[in-house]
Amino acid sequence: MKEIRHEPVAPTRTQWLAPGAAIDPHRHDDHQIVYAGRGVLAVTTSTGLWIAPATRAIWVPAGTVHAHQAHGELALHLVGLPASENPLNLAEPAVLTVGPLLRELILAHTDARTDGHDESPERARLRAVLLDQLRVSPQQPVHLPTPSSPQLKAVCEILRTNPADNRTLPALGREVGASDRTLSRLFKADLGMTFPQWRTQLRLYRALVLLAEDTPVTTVAHRCGWSSASAFIDVFRRSFGHTPGAHQPRSQFVSACPKG
């Protein structure tokens, strides 16, 4: 296991990550909002994997050990908040909806030209509005919790390897040596969701990764186990409020920050 870095202050800045790039496990004494203005961001914590396309941001509470993974070219916007300032009143990671106003506030607050050091009254007012918007931002998770049961781990690993595997829970149970009743109970007790809910979350996560790599929508649907592109588009739209095409690199907004 990689050494966990301790960075007391959570930075407020913008940085670019190349496709596939990662930031190793670390923790801050501050809270942090993590937002991908471009690409898809995966944040791993001890409780699982949290996924955020450009319509979501991830809340990382103070002290939480977390690591970042970029899918597609990633414009990473980081907003640090003192541990005493918790606008969400959340002690666990969460995925928040980012509407047009909140997006622009995050981009402006993390502008590379200020690098988090601007202490002007204008910036203070901008920060106040940003915090107000965070307080009313609904939680819309794409979260893959980490199983602890060996039998559940085995089932989840089968599906992680091939999200298009359409076998039923009884069929998967026969492969790992557990009844479907036992596995159903473990999904609810260990992961807090049903088997169909977890599999849908897994498929949505893999779909976001493939879309960030500019994979055609029909191919994404097939690789992730949907019966048709239209079925995939319907589930995706209900989950994210947009069609899959809006999450592909050629369709995303270019971040306000320059490269380099």
Side-chain angles (χ1 to χ4, degrees):
M1 184 175 180
K2 294 181 179 179
E3 183 180 355
I4 298 171
R5 290 181 290 111
H6 176 213
E7 300 177 358
V9 177
T12 294
R13 65 169 183 247
T14 297
Q15 66 186 95
W16 284 82
L17 296 179
I23 298 177
D24 292 340
H26 60 286
R27 63 183 176 87
H28 306 292
D29 295 337
D30 297 337
H31 304 302
Q32 193 172 56
I33 297 291
V34 186
Y35 173 66
R38 180 182 178 89
V40 172
L41 171 68
V43 173
T44 303
T45 73
S46 61
T47 59
L49 188 64
W50 306 80
I51 313 300
T55 56
R56 302 289 188 268
I58 299 177
W59 165 258
V60 182
T64 301
V65 176
H66 59 289
H68 303 309
Q69 176 75 47
H71 298 291
E73 187 176 37
L74 189 72
L76 185 62
H77 299 270
L78 305 170
V79 178
L81 299 172
S84 59
E85 192 170 17
N86 188 337
L88 301 172
N89 292 318
L90 292 176
E92 299 294 333
V95 178
L96 311 172
T97 298
V98 176
L101 176 56
L102 181 54
R103 171 188 165 84
E104 294 305 318
L105 289 167
I106 293 174
L107 295 185
H109 192 64
T110 59
D111 191 308
R113 291 168 294 184
T114 66
D115 198 29
H117 299 306
D118 183 356
E119 298 181 1
S120 67
E122 291 80 8
R123 182 175 176 82
R125 289 193 292 270
L126 175 67
R127 180 185 178 87
V129 177
L130 171 59
L131 294 179
D132 283 342
Q133 285 298 303
L134 286 173
R135 290 185 184 96
V136 298
S137 179
Q139 296 183 46
Q140 294 285 346
V142 177
H143 174 217
L144 283 176
T146 301
S148 57
S149 159
Q151 293 169 317
L152 206 55
K153 283 183 178 179
V155 170
C156 292
E157 185 56 34
I158 290 171
L159 297 178
R160 283 178 183 271
T161 302
N162 179 19
D165 189 332
N166 280 313
R167 280 181 291 175
T168 63
L169 193 57
L172 291 167
R174 286 192 291 272
E175 181 165 336
V176 303
S179 70
D180 60 318
R181 179 176 296 181
T182 295
L183 291 174
S184 292
R185 176 180 56 79
L186 287 173
F187 266 102
K188 292 179 181 178
D190 203 1
L191 303 182
M193 59 181 67
T194 65
F195 169 63
Q197 288 172 333
W198 188 91
R199 177 148 66 179
T200 297
Q201 292 288 81
L202 170 67
R203 289 176 170 177
L204 286 171
Y205 159 56
R206 187 60 60 86
L208 286 169
V209 171
L210 291 172
L211 290 169
E213 297 170 351
D214 223 8
T215 306
V217 170
T218 300
T219 303
V220 174
H222 174 71
R223 290 185 184 177
C224 295
W226 276 280
S227 59
S228 65
S230 60
F232 165 51
I233 291 170
D234 180 60
V235 172
F236 196 96
R237 183 189 290 113
R238 284 190 280 112
S239 298
F240 297 111
H242 302 282
T243 61
H247 289 271
Q248 293 181 303
R250 61 177 178 270
S251 302
Q252 290 182 344
F253 293 108
V254 176
S255 174
C257 70
K259 286 189 182 182

